Amino acid sequence: MVEFWTDHFNIPLQDYLTEKTIDDREVIRKHSLGNFRDLLFASAQSAAMLMYLDNDVSDKEHPNENYARELMELHTLGVNGGYTEQDVVEVARALTGWTIQYGRDNMFVFDMNMHDTGEKMVLGVPMPAGRGIEDGLQVLDILAYHPSTARFIAQKLCRRFVADFPPEGIVQSTAEVFFSTGGDIRATMRHLLLSDEFMNAYGQKFRRPMDFVVGTLRVLRDGLDVDNTYVFIEPLEGMGQLPYAWHPPNGYPDVTDAWLNTNGLLYRWNVALNMALAGEGFAEGIALNLDVVIPQAGTVGELVDMVIERLVPVAYPPELRQSFVNLLNRNGDASAPVDDRLRRQYLPILVGLVIASPQFQWR
């Protein structure tokens, strides 16, 4: 959920190191399983967000529409959520004066001298003249509890956890839970993760690079010793998903087409094989004892099945299983015995190939 909301309220780390570090701790991690309204309000008062989308310099003379637009398009209503260009203008006016001041705990401050105090109309709701921070607070409340927001968040959650194009039924029911609970993220996720659509979703999502790396570490964890975590920066960057490094405000893509390509697959295969080879050609600081991960097996067929069972919780196509048998025995004899030489020579390659296979890449 931290990764999901980090993408949803995307801010690149490189340009706002200190501010994004605070945002990660006080906005995303603090509220990732709490209430969406609290999360939205925290984000709207995040120095990193205000600086990234230029709201820190938005004043009554020159209202900046960057944050107002992304607030509705990406954070709440969605691009088809029913707002107009005039709503963007009015929200920008309502949020003038929401700026930052270094030396404060969270750096957020409301500057009345920068605020547009005139009348406003947001999504058909009138806002009287003469107010201050109340304008922005009311806008955030309107957006947090809007039906389009419930629909937009539900669609994104179902796309992340079920399928690129999830069934309409689960999107609608998830939106209803989100709306009826006032944006209770934990209740919404409980509904989604206990649904039949989620239970039957295996194989519909292509692992994003971060998911792939974490999944690889997870299945090898019993025999893995990692002294240098920085070793994963280069492969994640090469595969296109170094954490906090996405510069547009929409966050890393969450659909297969963004990741399933020749260069990405080649990088994944190399990572899988290098990890299985205990760091050879990968980096120093990684050691892997495959004897701890994969128990002893008497025959080639048993060893192949053991590797598949331990690394991937699904049945493999018989022809793919047989290709693994052929790798270990030229005659394709699954009953051939496994000696220490064969295990030492071929087990790392077999593990790497299973991790590189489609059955591991899709979840």
Side-chain angles (χ1 to χ4, degrees):
M1 293 309 298
V2 168
E3 186 184 26
F4 177 84
W5 294 119
T6 296
D7 282 332
H8 187 79
F9 294 100
N10 185 65
I11 303 167
L13 178 68
Q14 294 88 335
D15 298 331
Y16 310 99
L17 180 58
T18 299
E19 296 82 6
K20 177 54 188 173
T21 301
I22 296 172
D23 179 275
D24 179 68
R25 181 182 67 238
E26 299 298 329
V27 178
I28 303 300
R29 295 181 184 275
K30 184 175 182 179
H31 299 289
S32 64
L33 278 171
N35 182 273
F36 179 75
R37 178 189 180 277
D38 296 338
L39 175 58
L40 182 66
F41 271 64
S43 176
Q45 298 180 38
S46 163
M49 183 63 74
L50 293 172
M51 294 171 65
Y52 173 50
L53 294 177
D54 305 310
N55 208 85
D56 61 321
V57 295
S58 182
D59 61 27
K60 57 189 175 184
E61 301 298 332
H62 304 285
N64 190 296
E65 298 177 7
N66 286 354
Y67 177 59
R69 186 177 302 279
E70 307 307 352
L71 175 64
M72 290 190 284
E73 179 179 331
L74 297 177
H75 298 172
T76 56
L77 305 177
V79 68
N80 298 313
Y83 66 91
T84 66
E85 284 299 312
Q86 187 58 38
D87 287 318
V88 175
V89 172
E90 298 292 89
V91 170
R93 292 178 59 215
L95 290 169
T96 50
W98 287 53
T99 186
I100 66 170
Q101 178 180 318
Y102 286 96
R104 300 173 63 91
D105 287 344
N106 65 356
M107 292 187 275
F108 170 76
V109 65
F110 175 73
D111 188 339
M112 187 66 180
N113 293 324
M114 298 172 64
H115 185 62
D116 181 338
T117 59
E119 293 182 0
K120 305 169 186 73
M121 178 77 74
V122 175
L123 296 172
V125 178
M127 296 182 177
R131 300 198 303 178
I133 195 173
E134 296 84 4
D135 284 345
L137 296 176
Q138 185 177 2
V139 163
L140 293 174
D141 266 329
I142 292 171
L143 296 175
Y145 296 126
H146 198 284
S148 291
T149 297
R151 170 77 187 188
F152 182 60
I153 300 299
Q155 180 77 37
K156 290 191 69 172
L157 287 171
C158 292
R159 186 166 65 230
R160 169 65 61 92
F161 291 98
V162 177
D164 288 359
F165 304 97
E168 174 59 27
I170 187 60
V171 174
Q172 181 61 35
S173 63
T174 301
E176 290 172 357
V177 172
F178 185 94
F179 186 76
S180 65
T181 61
D184 186 323
I185 299 169
R186 189 181 298 271
T188 302
M189 289 306 301
R190 181 180 294 113
H191 168 78
L192 175 57
L193 297 178
L194 292 176
S195 68
D196 290 340
E197 288 85 352
F198 175 79
M199 295 298 182
N200 297 318
Y202 190 88
Q204 297 188 59
K205 291 294 293 183
F206 187 71
R207 288 182 187 263
R208 302 198 304 176
M210 188 68 167
D211 188 8
F212 164 63
V213 169
V214 171
T216 301
L217 294 173
R218 181 180 293 121
V219 297
L220 298 176
R221 67 185 181 276
D222 290 342
L224 195 62
D225 184 14
V226 179
D227 292 329
N228 177 21
T229 56
Y230 286 95
V231 71
F232 301 108
I233 290 178
E234 190 273 335
L236 283 170
E237 190 171 32
M239 288 184 285
Q241 201 192 3
L242 184 65
Y244 312 111
W246 184 260
H247 285 272
N250 58 346
Y252 279 109
D254 200 15
V255 292
T256 300
D257 288 347
W259 307 108
L260 185 55
N261 54 67
T262 303
N263 185 64
L265 283 176
L266 181 59
Y267 230 109
R268 288 167 187 253
W269 297 338
N270 285 331
V271 169
L273 289 170
N274 286 328
M275 284 290 293
L277 289 168
E280 293 181 24
F282 191 62
E284 295 182 359
I286 294 182
L288 177 64
N289 184 353
L290 282 178
D291 289 335
V292 176
V293 181
I294 309 297
Q296 296 293 322
T299 68
V300 165
E302 290 174 357
L303 182 59
V304 168
D305 291 338
M306 186 78 69
V307 171
I308 292 174
E309 177 185 344
R310 289 302 175 99
L311 302 184
V312 186
V314 294
Y316 261 53
E319 62 274 13
L320 183 54
R321 175 188 179 275
Q322 185 59 46
S323 70
F324 292 148
V325 171
N326 296 343
L327 170 69
L328 273 62
N329 182 272
R330 292 181 179 180
N331 297 321
D333 182 5
S335 64
V338 174
D339 56 26
D340 289 341
R341 182 199 63 81
L342 186 147
R343 182 181 175 92
R344 186 171 60 255
Q345 182 175 355
Y346 285 105
L347 180 58
I349 299 174
L350 178 60
V351 167
L353 288 173
V354 170
I355 293 175
S357 69
Q359 283 70 24
F360 191 89
Q361 298 298 327
W362 292 80
R363 61 165 175 82

